[in-house]
Every structure is written in structure tokens, then in C-alpha cells.
């Protein structure tokens, strides 16, 4: 592992962009190792939330966000990023290995680079106006490009049903003293 002080400026900049990623409860449950093979992304289990996230789903999603930011920063730097997910069955914490190569970076990813540092959590009410169909279509397409399936709630009553389920889940969590302690710790 290369000490942080010895990292090349470009590698340091890529990692600085990667760690701006959103994470569940702002736990930032990742760490990176730079070696001759590139950059490895690991899950940091010391930052796991075992009560809130019993199967490490949110931890893994958070690490995926850091990986995405790394890919965006690499593309903006004019680098191609070859990503291998879960490259070592013997090491469950090694989530990805990224090899960087000179070449034309992904222009669509590179275009997102200015927004990495602007990401913020919004705790205000959302605008009640419906999201325009073309915006929903663009979001669905962007998710599909990354291998995700997004299904906007467009049928009357779906949002209300989801709100009721979220409220039920909130009540169950707040009733659990272990969950409250874990939340307070973060």
C-alpha cells in the first residue's frame, strides 16, 4: 500500500473525488489501496451499521457511490477506468479493483465531474410539482446504463402507499433501542 503522502498528484485527486460520495448515515464505509495493479476499493467493516444494515446492503451501496465518483473523476482526467467487481472470492471486503489507462475517458461520466463537490443532502420538502416525463425518462436511462432498474412511482396512490410503508418502518426502527443507540453513535 502506498502512503497517502507518496501518492502521485493525479491519483490523490481521483481519490479525493471518490471520497466525496454520499453514504448511509455519512459513515463513509470504504477505504482504498493503491498498488501496482491500480486502485482497490474495500469495505470498511469498522464503519458498518449492524443493526440498521444487517446485510450490509447500504454499506455496499455507499461503496458503490465512491466507486462511481472514482470513475467520474477518472473520465474527467481523460483516463479509461477498467473496473472488476468482487475480484477475489477469498476477500469479501475487496469490492472492486480499478485499472486506469491513458485514453479517452467516458464523456458522459466526465460531464458529471463538476457536480461531485456540489452534492448535498436536502432535508427540505420536495417541490410538489410532478417531475416532467422527459426528466424521469433520462433518470431511468442513466440508471439502466449503470445496470440498475428504476421504476418511477407514476400510478395514482403509489407514493401514498410507499409513504405508509416508510412510516411503518420508521416506527419499527425507533421502537428498537439498539437502533436508536447505533443512530446516536453516528
Amino acid at each position: 500500500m502506498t502512503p497517502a503522502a507518496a501518492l502521485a498528484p493525479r491519483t490523490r485527486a481521483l481519490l479525493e473525488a471518490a471520497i466525496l460520495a454520499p453514504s448511509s448515515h455519512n459513515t463513509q464505509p470504504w477505504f482504498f489501496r493503491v498498488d501496482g495493479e491500480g486502485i482497490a476499493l474495500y469495505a470498511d467493516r469498522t464503519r458498518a451499521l449492524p443493526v440498521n444494515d444487517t446485510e450490509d446492503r447500504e454499506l455496499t451501496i455507499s461503496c458503490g457511490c465512491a466507486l462511481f465518483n472514482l470513475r467520474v473523476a477518472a473520465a474527467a482526467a481523460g483516463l479509461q477506468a477498467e473496473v472488476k467487481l468482487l475480484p477475489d472470492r477469498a476477500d469479501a471486503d475487496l469490492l472492486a479493483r480499478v485499472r486506469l489507462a491513458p485514453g479517452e475517458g467516458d464523456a458522459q461520466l466526465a460531464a458529471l465531474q463538476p457536480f461531485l463537490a456540489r452534492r448535498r443532502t436536502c432535508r427540505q420538502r420536495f417541490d410538489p410539482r410532478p417531475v416532467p416525463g422527459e426528466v424521469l425518462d433520462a433518470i431511468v436511462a442513466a440508471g439502466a446504463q449503470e445496470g440498475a432498474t428504476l421504476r418511477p412511482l407514476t400510478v395514482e396512490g403509489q407514493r401514498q402507499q410507499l409513504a405508509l410503508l416508510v412510516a411503518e418502518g420508521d416506527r419499527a426502527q425507533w421502537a428498537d433501542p439498539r437502533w436508536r443507540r447505533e443512530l446516536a453513535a453516528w
Side-chain angles (χ1 to χ4, degrees):
M1 183 167 94
T2 305
L7 289 177
R10 181 174 68 181
T11 302
R12 176 182 285 285
L14 295 176
L15 295 175
E16 286 173 353
I19 65 172
L20 293 175
S23 60
S24 179
H25 295 283
N26 200 28
T27 55
Q28 300 174 343
W30 53 69
F31 66 91
F32 295 90
R33 284 203 173 124
V34 178
D35 58 32
E37 296 182 46
I39 300 173
L41 167 63
Y42 288 84
D44 183 350
R45 304 290 173 187
T46 67
R47 294 173 160 269
L49 300 172
V51 177
N52 183 70
D53 188 22
T54 57
E55 296 180 7
D56 290 335
R57 178 181 178 274
E58 291 180 25
L59 179 145
T60 304
I61 291 170
S62 297
C63 289
C65 292
L67 176 61
F68 186 79
N69 275 20
L70 178 63
R71 290 176 49 224
V72 168
L79 297 169
Q80 293 179 357
E82 176 190 322
V83 178
K84 182 168 185 180
L85 298 176
L86 305 172
D88 185 351
R89 288 181 164 215
D91 188 351
D93 290 343
L94 177 54
L95 300 179
R97 182 168 295 285
V98 181
R99 293 180 195 259
L100 301 171
E104 195 170 319
D106 181 320
Q108 287 183 306
L109 284 178
L112 298 174
Q113 193 276 337
F115 302 101
L116 297 182
R118 293 181 53 197
R119 178 201 59 82
R120 298 288 181 267
T121 298
C122 177
R123 302 205 186 279
Q124 299 173 340
R125 284 186 159 290
F126 289 113
D127 190 320
R129 292 177 293 172
V131 177
E134 61 274 7
V135 172
L136 285 177
D137 292 344
I139 292 169
V140 169
Q145 191 170 1
E146 290 296 318
T149 301
L150 303 174
R151 293 188 179 98
L153 303 179
T154 57
V155 176
E156 184 66 36
Q158 284 180 328
R159 285 179 35 185
Q160 183 61 29
Q161 287 176 324
L162 179 60
L164 292 171
L165 289 172
V166 169
E168 182 180 332
D170 283 348
R171 281 191 297 278
Q173 284 182 319
W174 283 104
D176 183 344
R178 297 172 312 126
W179 183 85
R180 292 193 311 269
R181 280 193 300 274
E182 186 175 86
L183 179 65
W186 283 102

